[in-house]
Structure formats: C-alpha cells, structure tokens
C-alpha cells in the first residue's frame, strides 16, 4: 500500500502545541481503537482518536509530558539496554549479544504503538521517521518463512514453541500486530503490518486442529488477531483467535499449576473465577470479548459476565487495580486485598480498563464506563510520575516511607508497564466518546471537541467545556451541520450522590447514578446540556470481609481516590492517625496550581495518639487501653500523585471514628 503524506497545521483548541490538527480523513484513520464499524453486536462503537481534540484540562499536562518526555526517554532506555540491538543482531547490522529477558521484543512494540497513537493525534515528523527506522530494523530480522522473535533464534531456534506456558513468542507477536495496526490507521503504511501477517500466516499453516498444538501462555495475540480480522476481513485470523481461546493445553499435557498461571490452555468458557496472573487474565478477557463481538457465541458472554462480577464484587481495589499477590503477580482469594503488600501491577489496571472498554461496546452499560474511569484516574494514572520519566510497576495502597522501597523507577528489566502507560495516554481521545445507530455517547469528561458524524452521515461537532474532575460542572453543546434528531447519551457517574441535568436551562428527568441518561431531541447549534455532579468528598468503607480494611475508610472526591502522605501531616507517624468520618468532616480546598502539578487537596478532621504507638508494648490484656488523643488536621492528596516527592509513608485506608 502506498504511504500517504500527513499534513500538520494548527493546534488542538488553544491549549497545546503538541497535538496538531490531523490530516484529512481516510478509510484507515476513520477507525477507532477498536474497528467496530462492521460489528453488528457492538451496541456502542468506537470513535477515532483523530476525531477528538482535547483542550485545557486534567489530562493535558499528562499527555504533553508523555510526548515531550516519556516517549523520548523510554526509547533512549530501550536503546541503552540493547532491546533494539536485539533485532539488529539477527540481521547482522550489529555484532552484539542478545540482552534482556525473553519478552523484550514486546516492550519495543508497545512503545511503537504509543507512537502510532501520537501520530493519530497529528503529525510529528521525528516520531514518524523513528517508527519507520525501527520498522526497517525489525523486518530485517524476520526470517523468510515469517518467524520473528529475537530470543527464540540462533542457538535457541530448536526450542521454539516448546515452552508455550512461559515463552511469550505469541505475546510478542500480538503486540507487534497492535502497533502495526495503529500505525496503519495513522499513516496508511502497512509495512510492519505485512510483516506481522506473514508471521501469523506461518502459524496458521503449521499449528491448530490436526496440526501441532498451540497456545499463547500469556494472552495477547487473541485480541490482536480479532483486530487483524477486522482490519483485513480475513476470517482465518478470527478462527485462529477462537482456536487459542478454546484451548489446546490437553495435547501439551500441562500441569494444573501451568493452567492456573496462564489463564489459558483450557477452554476460556470453562472459567468461573479469576485466578493466577492478573495481566494474563485481563488480556484473555479482552480477547474473549472481541471474539464474542464478532461471533456472538453466548457461552463467551456468559463467562465474561461471571468473571466480571468475580472481579468487580470481590477482587478489585478501590483504585481499579487488580492482582493482590506478588507471587505470580496473581489474583488472590475473594476479598484478599492487602494494602501494604498489594501488587496491583500497572499493566493489570490497564488490562482492567481495556477489558471494560470492550464490555462497554457489548452492553452500553455505564458500570463498565465507571470502571474505565476508576482505573484510568487512579490505578493507571498512578503508574507514571508527574515528570513522566519514573514508573510504578506495582501500585500499593500503603507505604511505610522506607527510602529503600523505590516504588518509582526509570527502568525495570521487565519493562512492560512504562510503554503500556504511554500508549494509554496517547490513545486517550479515543476513549472519550462513542456512537450508535441512535446517536452519540459521552463516556468521559474533559474539555474537548468531537468532530465526527451521526450514523446517517450527518456531520456533527460536539463541544465539551469542563474543569472535571476538579469541578463537577460539564457543559456540552451538540452542533450538527443541520438540524438533526438524535439521542445524546451522557454518563451519570455512580459516585455522584446527586446530579442535576438540564437542556437550555430546563431540568431533565430520569437522572440515575451509574446509568447513561438518554436525551433525545432535535438538536440545534445553540443547544446546551449542563450537568452538575455532586463533588463533596465522600468517605468509603469496604466489605467487612476485606480484613485489611476493617475499621478503616478511604476518601474519594469525584472519580479520584485520595490518600495521606506523611509529608503533609503534622504527626510523627501515619500509623497513629485516626480520621473523623462523617458528612461535613472533610472539605476540598481551592485548586493549588503549584503543588503536585496542580491539585485540589481535601482537609479532614482527625485524631492522633498523644503517645506514639511504637512506644507501646507489642501486646496487652483486655480491656483495651483508651489512650489520650489530640485533634489534628489531616491533608489528603489524590492517590495518583503519591511518591512524587521524597520517600514518605502513604495510606489510602485510614482507621476512623464516626463524627
């Protein structure tokens, strides 16, 4: 396919020099994060990244630093640690040893996908040229038959597909395909995509029923294959995804432990609970949801609903993070949600967001959008430092303040999380809105302009003005090119205790928290929808079976979970603090532009022990002591900002007494 030239002119709104106006629309860039245009079972379809211009607001500095700092420095580190040289080594362009764990190819592919989404936002000549240069290095390493993996080559070539539970061969291929598809949609350039298809065609010819058994070990390829099917129309790619999801582990004689760790190898529809590696489980669910969307196999939908409730009702942190155990980076038992020992890998929170994005397409149910928002603003957002060059692999809900616990680092030998975070921030405009036969859906709130069309082809601009999440007022102005009747679906967040909605100043009935409000009318350019969400700070308690949170509360304001950091308190130890919880015992401050990138703090009344607990005996007989306590003002900051200063103690869940 001939590569077209991208044109960059102007800026998005008046706020960012980074996100230039995209080129004129084409058949490639009219696709969303998922191409659901021809997917009849998608109740809500995606809108392209290029159709949404994000203006001033909460995510603007995060997205700017992603392009200015995170993406450039991550490539420097990938080069420094030999990840790109691993490809050059195979092609003979460099005579160097292979470096890094067996899955490093995927880290480069995820970085390239982040770049591809940046290019869907607008042209960046240097990133564009870098992607093409890396594509040259990658394809030069591909074997004539299609195989491409820098670890299982050379001396290890004879071991290919012999360690499918841990080999990551197909995981790496999945990320290659996703990067290639995102770049194809940004530029029309199919070179990397052609290389990925060549590898897939090699697999399809050598593995499957009546051939050699195949499984992914670490799910990822399944969702990439479905997206490849959507992109090319080649049903054999969808069939291969179905084969992988239906499992072929019996022929490989895997042990029960391998089955559990992989969350693959046996039929997906046999699953009833989440167990094992959290990221693998989330990615398997993403692939299974994609497969259901294209096939309508109700057994998959039933399994997905069962698993969703297992996660959301019993195994998910308040931040949207999942995976409570360090051992195996795994789910624990129901309600096993420790705070200090929480693993909650950044990639797992991203996987939670990606899965709920697909379930939202299936159902149009706001519970999935609520979880997208919860994970995005908290468990995902915490994964990258405000400066954009330090990352969390794990995201605990409590820290002791020990300087040796370096929770944010510039590099990990397992570098999956940093480029994963970068691709989410780059693709974020594509998560803002959706479309359906009857109209437009507003999933997330941020200053933005949607420039798209209705299902009947009528052009539409939708202007959204808000300071969300710091402020609960959102104004939306639908502007069709001519008078048009359609439904505007606006999400009423589940956390909002009371919400007022009006159109041109007249109240709208039927508002319900945790639901989409469908407003149907003939819209005109001067119409204005106003939403006012209740933004008072709320104390939240956990299910009594969550033993770590017994007698404790967390604090939330809007979609943001808050925490205490020792630096902000006038106490010697957070362990000695109790918060006074009740309506009116916590209040938000004005926005502090100079603190932690600009935040609203929450002040709460509390008590602190007059005598430090470390001076008390380890055990003492009942009746319990009634130690002297004194009043103290507690300062809460948004959870995503934790550990962006010097090492200090941190707590999300705090002991409480009722007001």
């Amino acid at each position: 396919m001939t590569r077209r030239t991208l044109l960059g002119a102007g800026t998005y709104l008046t706020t960012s020099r980074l996100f230039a106006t995209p080129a004129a629309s084409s058949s490639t860039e009219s696709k969303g994060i998922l191409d659901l245009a021809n997917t009849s079972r998608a109740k809500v379809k995606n809108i392209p990244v290029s159709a949404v211009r994000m203006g001033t607001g909460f995510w603007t500095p995060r997205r700017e630093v992603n392009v200015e700092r995170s993406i450039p420095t991550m490539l420097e580190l990938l080069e420094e640690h030999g990840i790109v040289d691993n490809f050059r080594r195979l092609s003979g362009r460099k005579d160097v040893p292979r470096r890094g764990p067996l899955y490093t190819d995927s880290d480069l592919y995820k970085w390239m996908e982040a770049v591809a989404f940046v290019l869907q936002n607008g042209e960046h000549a240097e990133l564009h040229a870098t992607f093409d240069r890396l594509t040259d290095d990658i394809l030069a390493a591909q074997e004539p038959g299609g195989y491409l993996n820098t670890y299982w080559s050379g001396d290890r070539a004879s071991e290919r597909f012999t360690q499918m539970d841990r080999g990551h061969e197909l995981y790496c291929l999945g990320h290659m395909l996703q990067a290639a598809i995102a770049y194809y949609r940004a530029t029309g350039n199919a070179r990397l995509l052609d290389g990925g298809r060549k590898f897939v065609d090699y697999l399809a010819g050598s593995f499957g029923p009546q051939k050699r058994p195949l499984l992914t070990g670490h799910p990822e390829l399944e969702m990439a294959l479905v997206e490849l099917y959507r992109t090319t129309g080649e049903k054999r790619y969808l069939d291969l995804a179905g084969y992988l999801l239906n499992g072929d582990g019996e022929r490989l004689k895997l042990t029960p432990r391998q089955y559990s760790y992989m969350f693959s190898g046996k039929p997906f529809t046999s699953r009833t609970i989440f167990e094992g590696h959290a990221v693998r489980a989330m990615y398997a669910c993403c692939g299974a949801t994609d497969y259901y969307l294209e096939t309508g196999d109700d057994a998959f939908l039933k399994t997905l609903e069962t698993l969703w409730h297992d996660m959301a009702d019993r195994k998910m942190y308040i931040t949207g993070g999942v995976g409570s155990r360090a051992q195996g980076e795994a789910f624990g038992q129901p309600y096993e949600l420790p705070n200090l020992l929480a693993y909650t890998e950044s990639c797992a929170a991203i996987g939670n967001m990606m899965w709920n994005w697909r379930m939202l397409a299936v159902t149009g149910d706001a519970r999935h959008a609520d979880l997208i928002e919860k994970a995005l603003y908290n468990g995902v957002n915490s994964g990258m430092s405000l400066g954009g060059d330090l990352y969390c692999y794990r995201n605990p809900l409590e820290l002791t303040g020990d300087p040796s616990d370096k929770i944010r680092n510039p590099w990990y030998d397992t570098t999956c999380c940093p480029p994963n975070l970068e691709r989410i921030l780059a693709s974020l405009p594509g998560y803002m809105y959706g479309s359906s036969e009857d109209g437009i859906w507003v999933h997330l709130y941020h200053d933005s302009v949607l420039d798209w069309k209705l299902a009947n082809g009528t052009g539409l601009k939708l202007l959204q003005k808000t300071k969300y999440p710091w402020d609960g007022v959102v104004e939306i102005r639908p502007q069709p090119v001519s008078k048009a009747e359609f439904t505007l679906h606006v999400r009423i967040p589940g956390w909002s205790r009371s919400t007022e909605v009006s159109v041109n100043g007249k109240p709208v009935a039927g508002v319900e928290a945790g639901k989409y409000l469908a407003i149907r009318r003939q819209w005109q350019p001067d119409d204005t929808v106003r939403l006012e969400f209740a933004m008072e700070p709320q104390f939240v308690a956990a299910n009594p079976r969550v033993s770590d949170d017994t007698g404790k509360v967390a604090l939330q304001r809007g979609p943001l979970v808050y925490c205490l950091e020792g630096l902000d308190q006038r106490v010697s130890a957070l362990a000695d603090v109790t918060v006074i919880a009740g309506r009116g015992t916590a209040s938000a401050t004005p926005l502090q532009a100079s603190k932690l990138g600009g935040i609203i703090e929450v002040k709460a009344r509390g008590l602190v022990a007059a005598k430090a607990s470390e001076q008390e005996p380890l055990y003492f007989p009942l009746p319990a002591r009634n130690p002297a306590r004194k009043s103290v003002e507690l300062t809460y900051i948004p959870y995503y900002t934790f550990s962006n200063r010097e090492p200090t103690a941190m707590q999300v869940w705090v002991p409480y007494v009722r007001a």
Side-chain angles (χ1 to χ4, degrees):
M1 177 170 289
T2 303
R3 193 177 87 195
R4 61 183 175 81
T5 302
L6 290 177
L7 304 176
T11 57
Y12 279 173
L13 304 184
T14 59
T15 60
S16 172
R17 62 188 180 278
L18 289 172
F19 305 113
T21 304
S25 63
S26 71
S27 60
T28 54
E29 69 177 9
S30 65
K31 312 302 182 185
I33 295 170
L34 306 175
D35 178 9
L36 302 177
N38 299 313
T39 304
S40 61
R41 292 174 192 84
K43 184 173 183 178
V44 184
K45 299 184 186 293
N46 286 200
I47 282 175
V49 170
S50 60
V52 181
R53 297 174 288 158
M54 295 181 70
T56 301
F58 181 86
W59 290 108
T60 303
R62 300 294 271 162
R63 284 170 38 79
E64 287 182 343
V65 79
N66 189 43
V67 176
E68 290 181 337
R69 181 69 179 165
S70 306
I71 288 174
T73 57
M74 183 49 53
L75 180 59
E76 291 173 3
L77 289 168
L78 291 169
E79 289 279 14
E80 178 185 331
H81 289 84
I83 309 309
V84 187
D85 281 347
N86 289 339
F87 291 92
R88 298 174 183 136
R89 169 180 175 268
L90 290 183
S91 64
R93 295 181 175 185
K94 276 198 174 182
D95 183 12
V96 292
R98 194 197 181 281
R99 297 173 63 187
L102 53 81
Y103 34 71
T104 58
D105 294 2
S106 66
D107 301 331
L108 179 61
Y109 295 144
K110 271 186 281 190
W111 183 91
M112 294 174 74
E113 187 182 356
V115 168
F117 279 121
V118 170
L119 295 176
Q120 288 187 29
N121 283 281
E123 172 65 338
H124 290 262
E126 186 175 349
L127 289 177
H128 197 151
T130 300
F131 192 106
D132 288 343
R133 174 177 58 81
L134 292 171
T135 297
D136 288 339
D137 284 326
I138 291 165
L139 296 182
Q142 187 168 29
E143 296 179 7
Y147 188 88
L148 176 58
N149 187 285
T150 67
Y151 187 84
W152 301 102
S153 295
D155 293 342
R156 298 189 186 93
S158 62
E159 301 177 62
R160 291 174 184 173
F161 302 109
T162 62
Q163 301 180 42
M164 294 188 207
D165 62 316
R166 58 172 297 276
H168 286 72
E169 289 163 278
L170 303 188
Y171 171 81
C172 292
L173 171 59
H175 279 298
M176 178 187 181
L177 290 171
Q178 289 183 313
I181 291 169
Y183 189 64
Y184 172 61
R185 291 176 183 168
T187 68
N189 185 331
R191 286 188 64 227
L192 188 62
L193 182 57
D194 288 341
R197 290 183 69 181
K198 189 176 180 180
F199 193 170
V200 175
D201 290 341
Y202 158 76
L203 291 175
S206 304
F207 299 88
Q210 288 78 54
K211 302 173 186 174
R212 295 175 59 190
L214 186 71
L215 55 85
T216 51
H218 192 312
E220 161 62 36
L221 181 59
E222 296 87 344
M223 59 175 137
L225 285 171
V226 178
E227 202 61 34
L228 185 61
Y229 159 71
R230 292 168 177 158
T231 304
T232 65
E234 295 286 350
K235 189 173 180 296
R236 67 182 185 275
Y237 300 141
L238 179 64
D239 292 341
L240 181 56
Y243 167 75
L244 293 171
L245 286 163
N246 285 317
D248 203 1
E250 291 295 334
R251 287 205 286 161
L252 291 168
K253 297 180 174 58
L254 298 179
T255 66
R257 182 176 181 180
Q258 287 173 315
Y259 276 137
S260 176
Y261 184 70
M262 292 186 300
F263 210 83
S264 64
K266 64 181 180 181
F268 180 86
T269 54
S270 69
R271 295 283 181 179
T272 58
I273 61 170
F274 276 120
E275 57 185 343
H277 194 276
V279 179
R280 298 181 185 212
M282 292 295 98
Y283 284 13
C285 288
C286 288
T289 310
D290 281 328
Y291 186 72
Y292 166 76
L293 279 164
E294 300 304 328
T295 65
D297 188 332
D298 288 336
F300 277 83
L301 183 57
K302 180 180 178 181
T303 301
L304 289 162
E305 285 286 354
T306 298
L307 290 172
W308 189 89
H309 282 287
D310 184 51
M311 180 194 73
D313 298 344
R314 293 178 283 274
K315 294 177 180 175
M316 185 180 71
Y317 284 90
I318 192 174
T319 58
V322 291
S324 56
R325 293 181 178 177
Q327 184 177 6
E329 301 178 339
F331 282 97
Q333 294 296 314
Y335 309 105
E336 182 188 334
L337 297 168
N339 296 313
L340 183 63
L341 300 179
Y343 202 72
T344 51
E345 183 183 342
S346 294
C347 284
I350 290 171
N352 188 8
M353 178 180 168
M354 289 166 50
W355 177 31
N356 276 279
W357 179 242
R358 288 159 169 82
M359 291 296 286
L360 178 60
V362 172
T363 66
D365 194 323
R367 63 190 163 118
H368 299 299
D370 277 357
L371 282 198
I372 291 168
E373 182 180 68
K374 179 188 289 287
L376 174 64
Y377 275 89
N378 302 290
V380 175
N381 198 20
S382 61
M384 180 187 291
S385 69
L386 299 176
D389 54 2
L390 298 174
Y391 304 89
C392 290
Y393 192 99
R394 54 182 292 263
N395 297 266
L397 281 73
E398 182 177 337
L399 291 170
T400 64
D402 188 334
S404 65
D405 188 8
K406 295 182 179 180
I407 200 68
R408 295 190 184 275
N409 295 282
W411 177 260
Y412 298 88
D413 286 339
T414 299
T415 324
C416 54
C417 296
N420 214 356
L421 292 158
E422 291 160 9
R423 69 171 176 160
I424 287 294
L425 287 172
S427 63
L428 189 55
Y431 288 94
M432 297 288 297
Y433 300 94
S435 66
S436 61
E437 287 298 317
D438 69 340
I440 297 296
W441 299 62
V442 184
H443 302 314
L444 300 174
Y445 296 105
H446 195 279
D447 241 32
S448 56
V449 175
L450 169 66
D451 189 353
W452 191 229
K453 59 188 176 183
L454 300 173
N456 63 10
T458 301
L460 171 71
K461 282 193 176 182
L462 189 148
L463 283 63
Q464 184 183 156
K465 187 70 175 176
T466 183
K467 295 179 181 178
Y468 189 95
W470 305 125
D471 186 270
V473 176
V474 181
E475 289 190 350
I476 300 172
R477 293 177 59 193
Q479 297 185 337
V481 295
S482 59
K483 289 183 180 180
E485 182 177 347
F486 63 92
T487 302
L488 182 66
H489 301 263
V490 293
R491 181 176 63 90
I492 310 302
W495 51 258
S496 182
R497 286 176 170 167
S498 63
T499 301
E500 296 181 4
V501 181
S502 63
V503 177
N504 301 331
K506 297 181 179 180
V508 177
V511 178
E512 186 177 351
K515 303 286 185 181
Y516 280 93
L517 176 65
I519 309 173
R520 187 168 184 86
R521 59 183 280 128
Q522 188 176 74
W523 296 94
Q524 302 183 56
D526 59 348
D527 286 337
T528 300
V529 179
R530 181 181 174 90
L531 302 96
E532 296 185 50
F533 303 125
M535 296 297 289
E536 74 272 14
Q538 301 179 39
F539 288 104
V540 180
N543 186 293
R545 295 191 181 191
V546 184
S547 59
D548 255 46
D549 300 336
T550 300
K552 298 178 181 180
V553 290
L555 184 71
Q556 183 170 338
R557 181 178 183 272
L560 296 174
V561 174
Y562 275 68
C563 67
L564 296 177
E565 277 203 313
L567 290 172
D568 299 309
Q569 319 308 326
R570 297 177 180 176
V571 300
S572 58
L574 286 186
D576 296 331
V577 165
T578 301
V579 66
I580 301 172
R583 295 292 292 266
T585 62
S587 59
T589 69
L591 182 70
Q592 299 186 53
S594 61
K595 184 171 183 177
L596 292 169
I599 61 168
I600 284 179
E601 295 179 331
V602 173
K603 302 289 186 177
R605 291 191 289 131
L607 300 170
V608 62
K611 183 178 181 182
S613 56
E614 65 181 9
Q615 298 174 1
E616 298 282 4
L618 182 59
Y619 304 104
F620 45 85
L622 285 175
R625 307 169 299 123
N626 187 18
R629 294 189 290 187
K630 56 184 179 180
S631 297
V632 65
E633 181 183 67
L634 301 176
T635 300
Y636 281 82
I637 61 172
Y639 171 78
Y640 75 87
T641 66
F642 81 86
S643 289
N644 270 277
R645 298 172 289 181
E646 62 186 78
T648 186
M650 180 272 290
Q651 287 181 204
V652 170
W653 292 94
V654 181
Y656 80 102
V657 294
R658 294 185 181 274

